[in-house]
Amino acid sequence: MKPGKRATINDVARIARVSKKTVSRVINQSPLVREETRTRVNEVIAELGFTPDPQARGLAFRRSFLVGLIYDNPSPTYVVNMQQGVLDALKGSGLELVVHPCNRYSDTLVEDIRGFVERQRLFGVIMPPSVSEDERVIALLRDLDCPYVRIASVSLDEPGVMVVTNDHLGAAEAAHRLADLGHKRIGLVRGPSLFRSAAVRGGGFRDALAERGIPMDPAYEYEGAYTYESGVEAGHALLSMKEPPTAIFSLNDDMAIGVMQAARERGLELPRDLSVVGFDDLPMAQRIWPNLTTVRLPIRDMGRMAAEKLLAPLRGVDPAKLNQPEVRPSLVIRKSDIPA
């Protein structure tokens, strides 16, 4: 450096033997730089007394340090558990989480998500079902060159961008449980048709019952909305039948708890008069009485695994080769179901 000359970003890059883009990333505290490179660049910056132009610094890094969680799940507890898992993985990464609820029934869904991604200049996006199942959203993210990871009940994409939850296995366990208890008239509270998980869970339940010689009567099915209120409505509808079911399987815990409330409103005693089984194993399943028998889906772990896949390239790891366990739902037997 010539005496009296002010150091530039080009000088730092030349002396540190890195690109100007790498220097910009170090200045902006990007997690995209290896630690040894960061240390070398910072040493050169200190030696030269380089001070970046604040305006130039704001323009130097195209993306922010924000990870977006885009969701349309109506269960607030599910969403909070998912957030906790994502935050577990982001801790210490320099990245922060920002959440964006959306409505898949909206005519402006894709444009709304486009605005969110572009305004926040997102580092990447994590999507639980059912927004993860919308190929219009996936096409948008690819067009914007925005990294993403999808969580879904079945595989919909390349392994490196998928966390597959195998919901059909959990639904089959619930069916086997009720069959083993001797139930024949079994009600099914489905999820909304827009959710692939509703089809996967319902299909796994019906198939497993059929294996036990118990065909699912369509008259005993009711479509809910994955909400407590729709569970109450479904419970009243099914329990008002001439021959009401002796057991009801709800495709999520919110609806199962709603079914239990409807049963109480009708003067039934649980589980003597009605066995109820849910899906997800939300915290409330252990807090109500009788404690809810349900299929445990490790929601917090799913959020963490998705975030780990999103972060993997920063750490020089192929997301498809992460050593992550397969997500396998499991039945948790409590007090809400007894023999018919």
Side-chain angles (χ1 to χ4, degrees):
M1 294 291 299
K2 294 181 180 180
K5 182 184 176 183
R6 182 177 178 180
T8 68
I9 191 171
N10 291 324
D11 295 324
V12 175
R14 174 175 53 81
I15 296 172
R17 301 187 303 280
V18 297
S19 68
K20 186 167 71 171
K21 184 176 182 180
T22 297
V23 177
S24 295
R25 284 175 167 169
V26 171
I27 292 169
N28 285 280
Q29 300 179 350
S30 165
L32 296 168
V33 183
R34 293 186 177 182
E35 198 56 41
E36 59 268 27
T37 302
R38 187 188 309 278
T39 300
R40 185 167 74 250
V41 171
N42 280 328
E43 287 174 351
V44 173
I45 288 174
E47 182 181 343
L48 298 181
F50 172 68
T51 303
D53 178 358
Q55 289 185 335
R57 179 178 178 179
L59 296 172
F61 195 66
R62 188 169 65 90
R63 292 200 184 277
S64 70
F65 306 124
L66 299 176
V67 170
L69 177 66
I70 302 178
Y71 68 91
D72 64 331
N73 195 299
S75 171
T77 308
Y78 180 101
V79 175
V80 169
N81 285 354
M82 183 69 63
Q83 289 181 43
Q84 290 174 332
V86 174
L87 291 171
D88 289 341
L90 295 186
K91 187 176 182 180
S93 70
L95 297 170
E96 302 292 343
L97 177 65
V98 57
V99 299
H100 182 74
C102 66
N103 179 5
R104 279 192 70 197
Y105 293 99
S106 170
D107 293 335
T108 61
L109 170 72
V110 175
E111 286 310 307
D112 290 345
I113 293 177
R114 177 188 292 275
F116 171 62
V117 173
E118 291 182 335
R119 283 192 307 273
Q120 302 296 335
R121 297 181 296 122
L122 295 177
F123 168 82
V125 166
I126 293 169
M127 294 168 292
S130 76
V131 69
S132 64
E133 303 159 359
D134 197 315
E135 295 302 329
R136 297 172 302 166
V137 175
I138 301 306
L140 167 68
L141 295 173
R142 290 171 178 162
D143 182 59
L144 295 175
D145 194 27
C146 180
Y148 65 83
V149 176
R150 310 163 76 171
I151 302 170
S153 54
V154 294
S155 182
L156 304 171
D157 212 320
E158 298 297 322
V161 297
M162 283 297 313
V163 174
V164 181
T165 58
N166 299 297
D167 290 21
H168 65 288
L169 298 176
E173 284 200 42
H176 293 155
R177 167 68 176 173
L178 293 177
D180 290 344
L181 291 174
H183 292 281
K184 302 294 183 182
R185 292 198 314 274
I186 301 174
L188 173 62
V189 183
R190 305 190 307 268
S193 57
L194 197 60
F195 280 65
R196 186 184 295 262
S197 62
V200 173
R201 294 177 184 183
F205 185 73
R206 295 185 200 93
D207 290 346
L209 282 184
E211 291 172 1
R212 296 295 185 91
I214 308 172
M216 186 70 214
D217 185 345
Y220 284 88
E221 294 191 24
Y222 191 96
E223 182 172 322
Y226 277 163
T227 63
Y228 167 82
E229 292 78 11
S230 68
V232 174
E233 182 180 298
H236 280 299
L238 292 171
L239 294 172
S240 66
M241 298 176 68
K242 184 177 180 180
E243 291 187 295
T246 61
I248 295 178
F249 175 52
S250 293
L251 296 190
N252 81 344
D253 286 349
D254 290 283
M255 295 192 301
I257 294 169
V259 166
M260 295 170 76
Q261 177 61 27
R264 291 190 183 94
E265 290 175 3
R266 303 181 76 85
L268 301 182
E269 183 178 329
L270 301 172
R272 185 193 66 186
D273 300 322
L274 177 71
S275 289
V276 180
V277 177
F279 200 113
D280 284 339
D281 195 25
L282 300 180
M284 187 57 68
Q286 300 181 62
R287 297 171 184 166
I288 59 169
W289 184 259
N291 305 144
L292 181 63
T293 292
T294 185
V295 177
R296 174 177 292 160
L297 200 59
I299 297 168
R300 183 166 180 165
D301 288 342
M302 288 152 43
R304 175 184 52 76
M305 291 165 69
E308 286 174 350
K309 288 201 169 186
L310 196 64
L311 294 176
L314 300 182
R315 297 161 178 164
V317 178
D318 181 351
K321 296 180 180 179
L322 282 175
N323 186 24
Q324 293 182 335
E326 182 182 14
V327 177
R328 293 187 67 87
S330 58
L331 186 68
V332 181
I333 298 172
R334 295 196 177 101
K335 301 293 186 180
S336 65
D337 59 331
I338 60 173

